[in-house]
């Protein structure tokens, strides 16, 4: 396999850069969808409905991703899904509401395919001690795209208007399609067949898988809060101008921290890193419950972002910790668990109007992660030096 500095495969850099460009546009679109649709004279709840449709179809789409990726391979799936993202962003800016809903449904299915292909490709390209470093590279560039996209959208919107900002998002998504085209045309199914040799008799580790899935679900609940509730609370307490400043921290902080988190994981082991990531995430959400001014909103957001910077690289290597014969199936269902965490938080945010939603999410995360941690790594790793 062709590798680069630090033992990270060339295709990991291409995959990560493509996701950075793709979510430069998509991350910003999710933050501004309600504002844009309202400015077009549509119902004020239209933006929330778009997100619910998107993540609802993301959830159901996870059920077919196994067949899609097996049929077309990771590279083709990434190209097709990124193209659908561009169509979705374009529809928000110019299409009627019914077309926005249809595009959101299509983008939800595309998202399920995209993230399943990403998990499979990233885990197939990792080898040995480069696993955490590869995950750190991916999360750094992915977060860079999200953070810079959100900030850029705010600047462009203030100077040229939302319509121009959304055109910039579409262009970024189209660039991602071009970047994904440089991925090596490796047959994932053939690679999987090679890995399966000697592993066909391995029983499916149900108990361990359920623990991993529940842990992934709880970790993604923070992201659900970021897109569904945090912007609204910041707008009420500090004004609309503060939304981009504070929420961008969720994406900007992980730009610098994942590589550090990867090194900590290599030294301390995954179990200790998982405990630290959970503690920071839950602590940040609790601080946000008490937030009513800039210092507390920023402190809570930074704390939660640091926790996510540790947990996200860990969850991306989960499939690699299972027998090769089951990794494709594990990746599909872990993507489903991630979607469940986001959708559950979106529904919770719509049902609970008070700030007690933060305590509810913190409590659920603590219960799920606390009950699952002891099952995640049955043989605790020794810290690496």
């Amino acid at each position: 396999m062709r590798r680069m500095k630090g033992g990270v495969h060339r295709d990991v850099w291409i995959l990560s850069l493509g996701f950075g460009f793709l979510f430069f546009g998509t991350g910003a679109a999710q933050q501004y969808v309600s504002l844009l649709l309202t400015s077009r004279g549509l119902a004020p709840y239209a933006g929330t409905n778009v997100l619910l449709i998107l993540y609802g179809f993301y959830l159901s789409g996870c059920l077919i991703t196994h067949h899609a990726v097996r049929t077309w391979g990771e590279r083709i799936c990434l190209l097709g899904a990124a193209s659908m993202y561009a169509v979705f962003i374009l529809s928000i800016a110019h299409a009627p509401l019914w077309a926005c809903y249809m595009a959101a449904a299509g983008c939800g299915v595309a998202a399920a395919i995209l993230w399943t292909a990403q998990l499979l490709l990233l885990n197939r390209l990792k080898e040995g001690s480069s696993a955490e470093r590869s995950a750190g590279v991916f999360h750094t560039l992915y977060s860079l795209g999200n953070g810079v996209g959100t900030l850029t959208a705010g600047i462009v919107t203030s100077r040229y208007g939302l319509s121009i900002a959304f055109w910039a998002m579409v262009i970024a998504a189209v660039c991602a399609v071009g970047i994904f085209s440089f991925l090596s045309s490796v047959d994932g199914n053939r690679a999987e067949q090679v890995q399966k040799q000697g592993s066909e008799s391995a029983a499916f580790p149900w108990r361990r898988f359920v623990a991993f899935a529940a842990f992934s679900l709880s970790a993604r609940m923070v992201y659900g809060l970021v897109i569904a509730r945090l912007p609204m609370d910041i707008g009420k307490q500090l004004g609309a101008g503060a939304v981009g400043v504070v929420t961008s921290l969720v994406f900007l902080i992980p730009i610098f921290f994942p590589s550090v988190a990867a090194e900590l994981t290599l030294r301390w082991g995954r179990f200790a890193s998982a405990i630290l990531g959970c503690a920071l995430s839950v602590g940040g959400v609790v601080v946000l419950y008490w937030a009513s001014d800039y210092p507390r909103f920023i402190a809570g957001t930074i704390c939660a972002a640091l926790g996510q910077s540790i947990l996200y690289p860990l969850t991306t290597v989960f499939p690699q910790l299972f027998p090769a014969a089951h990794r494709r199936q594990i990746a599909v269902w872990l993507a489903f668990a991630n979607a469940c965490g986001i959708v559950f938080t979106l529904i919770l945010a719509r049902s609970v109007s008070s700030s007690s939603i933060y305590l509810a999410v913190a409590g659920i995360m603590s219960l799920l992660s606390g009950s699952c941690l002891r099952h995640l790594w049955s043989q605790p790793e020794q810290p690496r030096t």
Side-chain angles (χ1 to χ4, degrees):
M1 298 173 89
R2 185 177 174 183
R3 311 178 73 82
M4 294 182 69
K5 184 180 178 180
V8 178
H9 193 278
R10 164 188 175 272
D11 279 356
V12 171
W13 289 98
I14 295 175
L15 179 72
S16 305
L17 185 62
F19 266 76
F21 271 88
L22 184 60
F23 283 88
F24 176 98
T26 308
Q30 290 183 104
Q31 297 288 332
Y32 287 89
V33 58
S34 295
L35 183 60
L36 178 62
L37 293 179
T38 301
S39 70
R40 291 177 53 196
L42 301 175
Y45 56 79
T48 303
N49 288 343
V50 166
L51 291 177
L52 281 172
I53 291 171
L54 192 156
Y55 282 99
F57 274 84
Y58 175 26
L59 188 64
S60 58
C62 289
L63 301 176
I64 67 168
T65 53
H66 174 78
H67 303 289
V69 178
R70 177 180 291 276
T71 301
W72 297 313
E74 294 100 339
R75 181 173 177 269
I76 297 300
C77 284
L78 288 168
L79 289 169
S83 300
M84 188 64 226
Y85 271 65
V87 172
F88 166 67
I89 299 171
L90 185 61
S91 72
I92 295 174
H94 298 285
L97 186 57
W98 64 267
C100 293
Y101 289 161
M102 290 185 63
C107 188
V109 176
I113 295 173
L114 181 92
W115 285 103
T116 300
Q118 176 264 342
L119 271 175
L120 289 169
L121 182 59
L122 196 61
N123 278 275
R124 184 156 56 81
L125 295 174
K126 294 170 185 172
E127 290 182 358
S129 63
S130 72
E132 284 79 11
R133 292 192 180 96
S134 297
V137 167
F138 176 84
H139 193 42
T140 296
L141 293 179
Y142 163 73
S143 300
L144 177 65
N146 261 309
V148 175
T150 301
L151 283 177
T152 303
I155 295 171
V156 174
T157 297
S158 63
R159 293 188 178 184
Y160 306 107
L162 277 167
S163 180
I164 299 298
F166 268 74
W167 272 111
M169 300 173 199
V170 172
I171 293 172
V174 172
C175 289
V177 176
I179 292 170
F180 287 145
S181 67
F182 287 97
L183 288 168
S184 301
S185 299
V186 177
D187 187 343
N189 292 321
R190 185 180 300 119
E192 182 187 51
Q193 291 299 322
V194 173
Q195 290 178 326
K196 279 185 177 181
Q197 293 179 2
S199 303
E200 294 291 349
S201 60
F204 191 87
W206 281 106
R207 179 177 296 182
R208 200 158 181 245
F209 164 72
V210 170
F212 276 78
F215 187 84
S216 295
L217 185 153
S218 67
R220 295 302 283 170
M221 291 180 70
V222 174
Y223 183 75
L225 277 178
V226 169
I227 64 174
R229 186 54 184 264
L230 185 59
M232 182 173 62
D233 289 339
I234 293 172
K236 287 181 179 178
Q237 298 289 341
L238 306 177
V243 173
V245 175
V246 178
T247 58
S248 64
L249 293 173
V250 176
F251 306 111
L252 291 175
I253 289 174
I255 295 172
F256 307 101
F257 197 69
S259 296
V260 177
E263 294 301 324
L264 291 177
T265 301
L266 290 171
R267 289 182 175 275
W268 296 355
R270 297 184 179 115
F271 187 81
S273 296
I275 293 176
L276 177 60
C278 290
L280 287 170
S281 296
V282 171
V285 172
V286 171
V287 172
L288 288 173
Y289 168 75
W290 299 103
S292 59
D293 51 23
Y294 256 115
R296 278 180 281 188
F297 270 116
I298 291 176
T301 302
I302 289 175
C303 190
L306 289 174
Q308 293 296 293
S309 298
I310 297 174
L311 293 179
Y312 187 84
L314 280 175
T315 57
T316 60
V317 303
F318 278 177
Q320 195 182 30
L321 305 179
F322 288 84
H326 303 305
R327 285 176 189 166
R328 184 181 293 271
Q329 187 178 1
I330 293 292
V332 169
W333 287 107
L334 285 179
F336 182 79
N338 290 338
C340 285
I342 297 172
V343 172
F344 174 75
T345 311
L346 286 172
I347 295 173
L348 192 64
R350 185 156 184 165
S351 305
V352 181
S353 58
S354 67
S355 58
S356 59
I357 185 176
Y358 292 100
L359 293 182
V361 169
I364 294 170
M365 287 185 64
S366 299
L367 288 173
L368 282 177
S369 59
S371 62
C372 295
L373 274 172
R374 67 187 183 90
H375 295 294
L376 294 182
W377 295 281
S378 54
Q379 295 181 346
E381 301 172 74
Q382 296 297 323
R384 303 179 189 179
T385 59

